[in-house]
Amino acid sequence: MNDAEYQLLARAAATCHMSIAGFLARAALNAAHDLGRTAEDIAGEREMLHELFALRRHLEQLGNNLNQVAKALNSGADAPQAEAVLAAVQRAARRVDAFTQHHLDNRRAR
């Protein structure tokens, strides 16, 4: 293992609040319990996680926008962006639903 790999491992272990040895043991046991996983499964999981994190960031942004609209309306000000924000929330909800359904359909197909 080179220095960069060791640092990556150390950061991952710290993020999980584990020692490096504990992190390695857990990773090895997880791999041993799941030997049937294919590269396609792993790639699909990465895509799923990428989409979940993107959805999370998007929902955080929408939440901020919605809070700004609520603050404006509660103070008696106009909020001309309210309809656009609500439409974006509805689109995000549909995106979450579509993603969830796609993931469930793929799991059933296995």
Side-chain angles (χ1 to χ4, degrees):
M1 169 180 319
N2 65 35
D3 205 36
E5 292 169 332
Y6 179 80
Q7 291 303 318
L8 178 63
L9 182 60
R11 283 192 305 272
T15 299
C16 296
H17 306 289
M18 300 176 78
S19 68
I20 293 174
F23 183 82
L24 286 172
R26 181 176 221 173
L29 287 171
N30 285 342
H33 287 296
D34 205 5
L35 292 175
R37 244 171 75 163
T38 65
E40 181 180 343
D41 293 334
I42 294 167
E45 186 176 300
R46 284 186 185 142
E47 288 174 17
M48 178 187 66
L49 289 173
H50 177 75
E51 179 66 11
L52 284 173
F53 280 107
L55 283 168
R56 182 178 178 198
R57 283 189 306 273
H58 185 65
L59 290 172
E60 286 172 352
Q61 292 168 345
L62 288 175
N64 288 336
N65 292 345
L66 199 54
N67 284 338
Q68 290 172 359
V69 167
K71 183 178 179 180
L73 293 174
N74 287 334
S75 70
D78 288 335
Q81 72 277 27
E83 284 186 40
V85 170
L86 291 175
V89 169
Q90 290 173 334
R91 285 191 306 274
R94 285 192 299 271
R95 182 177 169 191
V96 169
D97 287 344
F99 171 77
T100 303
Q101 190 60 54
H102 175 74
H103 182 67
L104 290 173
D105 290 346
N106 284 343
R107 289 193 74 96
R108 285 187 199 122
R110 290 182 190 168

